[in-house]
Amino acid sequence: MAEREETEKKKEAESFSIWDLPDVPQKLPPHIEFQRTRVQCNLDAPIHTENVMYSGAYASMGVDNSLQLDHFCNNFRVEVIRLTKDDMEFDLIGIDAAIANAFRRILIAELPTMAIEKVLIANNTSVIQDEVLAHRLGLIPIIVDPRLFEYMSENDTSNEKNTIVFKLHVLCERGGPRLTVKTNELKWLPNGSELPLETKPDSNPSSKPRTYTSFSSSQDLLPEFSNNPIRPMLDITIARLGPGQEIELEAHAVKGIGKTHAKWSPVATAWYRMLPEIVLLEDVEDEDAEKLVKTCPVNVFDIEDIGSGKKRATVAQPRACTLCRECLRCGEEWEKRVSIRRVKDHFICKYVMLIIN
């Protein structure tokens, strides 16, 4: 009988879980949940991105904060805020700072573009050295979809599928003014290189001279380029020529990524920041409301009429907040009236684009 009772007690102990106790919370207390999801920006505290994200941080409270794939898939969102020919702004929602930074690094170093890699200089009497001129040409953005081209290895020959050829030939006439050479002078050669390759003379005089590329067909015959010819970004200064100076060259662009060289990076700057969250902890009215609106340099706050000749401050553009915390410097009591926070899983990403497809 005693053995039977002891066996039943062991079974009860094995099936017992601490989470079954009524005093163990199944969600975080409000102040800990606030620390988990927000960053408080005070005058006496530095702005940081410290976060408690390691698995098991809240296990004693019955909350599992480990990264789950299904939770990520259900909560992660990308919202495009602005898209122009020069820049792009979008929001990454439901991720950690490490993943947001991974997106930034991928855009800088992993996305392929086309850039000038080889420069064949036939004549250069300008004051710019050949290697400096070649470097400047390599940094000129090429307006073309890189998905239409293949990567070129060391053993490949230049053909219409992996190379874009441009020609530059400018001459500043003697007795004339100085000439500014811009990227508008770069002419696309859809049939490939026109510079003859130095080889032994061919016994057949009717044969076509060999060049630095081996194009089997013209690139402008492709439907992708028939109505949208390949061109560099316009109005970029390459050099300035004095009277009698001349530049004649060919530039060959190939496909690459920013990890190999910065000239293949599709963005000029890439950065992100946490979404600001501005909360008025109490009503700010009349003269205090006007004072608060005038204090903010980026017009985060606005005034609304609440009737009876009274005015009240509202948060109109929290996204524009730069965390300067000028609103907290209005007086000692303003930290109790205005709360500046940042949302830890909501990132504003902005990228200045160099390549336009």
Side-chain angles (χ1 to χ4, degrees):
M1 189 70 177
E3 293 181 359
R4 184 177 178 181
E5 291 179 357
E6 187 177 351
T7 303
E8 290 178 355
K9 289 181 180 180
K10 287 183 178 180
K11 289 182 179 180
E12 291 178 0
E14 292 176 355
S15 61
F16 172 77
S17 175
I18 191 175
W19 313 122
D20 297 332
L21 293 176
D23 59 339
V24 175
Q26 297 301 311
K27 62 179 182 179
L28 296 177
H31 67 287
I32 298 182
E33 179 66 19
F34 178 84
Q35 293 178 2
R36 188 183 71 86
T37 60
R38 298 293 187 272
V39 177
Q40 184 72 44
C41 302
N42 299 324
L43 283 175
D44 56 349
I47 299 176
H48 58 85
T49 59
E50 183 179 351
N51 201 353
V52 181
M53 292 297 293
Y54 60 87
S55 178
Y58 309 109
S60 62
M61 298 182 178
V63 176
D64 182 15
N65 70 313
S66 60
L67 181 61
Q68 303 291 335
L69 180 60
D70 54 348
H71 181 269
F72 173 80
C73 295
N74 294 331
N75 292 275
F76 175 65
R77 304 196 314 274
V78 179
E79 296 181 358
V80 178
I81 305 301
R82 185 178 70 254
L83 177 61
T84 67
K85 67 175 184 177
D86 297 322
D87 63 359
M88 179 180 185
E89 182 177 342
F90 60 92
D91 288 4
L92 297 177
I93 305 171
I95 62 172
D96 186 46
I99 303 179
N101 188 52
F103 278 105
R104 183 189 69 87
R105 293 174 65 91
I106 289 171
L107 286 172
I108 293 175
E110 300 289 344
L111 292 184
T113 62
M114 302 295 291
I116 293 174
E117 170 69 2
K118 182 188 297 184
V119 179
L120 306 175
I121 299 178
N123 188 16
N124 177 24
T125 58
S126 69
V127 297
I128 301 180
Q129 298 92 336
D130 292 353
E131 59 271 21
V132 177
L133 179 60
H135 182 266
R136 291 181 62 85
L137 291 171
L139 297 176
I140 296 173
I142 308 299
I143 303 177
V144 65
D145 189 347
R147 293 173 295 182
L148 302 175
F149 293 87
E150 302 173 352
Y151 286 100
M152 183 177 177
S153 65
E154 296 180 358
N155 300 324
D156 293 336
T157 57
S158 301
N159 55 58
E160 70 278 4
K161 296 181 180 180
N162 58 25
T163 303
I164 301 173
V165 182
F166 293 98
K167 178 182 179 180
L168 177 64
H169 190 188
V170 286
L171 172 64
C172 183
E173 299 291 343
R174 294 186 180 274
R178 292 175 63 88
L179 177 64
T180 300
V181 182
K182 293 183 175 291
T183 50
N184 308 47
E185 302 294 334
L186 281 170
K187 305 302 179 183
W188 173 41
L189 300 180
N191 294 311
S193 174
E194 294 179 352
L195 291 178
L197 187 63
E198 294 183 2
T199 58
K200 296 180 180 180
D202 198 339
S203 58
N204 186 5
S206 62
S207 62
K208 184 179 178 180
R210 294 184 59 191
T211 62
Y212 287 88
T213 59
S214 300
F215 281 27
S216 59
S217 62
S218 178
Q219 290 176 332
D220 57 1
L221 297 178
L222 298 175
E224 294 86 357
F225 306 134
S226 57
N227 298 322
N228 188 25
I230 302 173
R231 61 182 176 87
M233 186 175 288
L234 303 179
D235 297 325
I236 298 177
T237 300
I238 299 176
R240 296 197 68 186
L241 301 182
Q245 294 180 348
E246 179 182 9
I247 295 178
E248 182 182 3
L249 57 82
E250 269 190 5
H252 296 190
V254 298
K255 187 175 180 179
I257 58 177
K259 184 166 59 175
T260 304
H261 193 283
K263 65 184 177 183
W264 280 297
S265 180
V267 294
T269 58
W271 55 269
Y272 64 87
R273 63 189 178 102
M274 292 182 184
L275 176 71
E277 184 180 66
I278 315 300
V279 179
L280 297 178
L281 303 178
E282 60 182 52
D283 289 342
V284 181
E285 299 179 350
D286 300 332
E287 294 182 359
D288 287 343
E290 294 180 357
K291 180 180 180 181
L292 180 63
V293 171
K294 292 179 181 179
T295 301
C296 182
V298 291
N299 301 322
V300 170
F301 304 98
D302 199 359
I303 295 179
E304 65 175 0
D305 188 2
I306 57 177
S308 303
K310 290 190 174 183
K311 303 175 182 178
R312 181 172 61 192
T314 60
V315 181
Q317 302 181 79
R319 190 183 185 89
C321 180
T322 60
L323 305 180
C324 67
R325 296 175 283 187
E326 286 296 322
C327 56
L328 302 181
R329 297 184 175 94
C330 294
E332 296 181 358
E333 75 281 358
W334 280 93
E335 284 201 51
K336 300 178 181 179
R337 308 180 73 179
V338 181
S339 177
I340 303 178
R341 313 164 181 173
R342 291 187 295 171
V343 184
K344 289 185 178 181
D345 64 344
H346 191 142
F347 296 90
I348 300 173
C349 305
K350 186 172 182 180
Y351 302 98
V352 179
M353 296 181 289
L354 288 176
I355 306 301
I356 308 170
N357 294 332

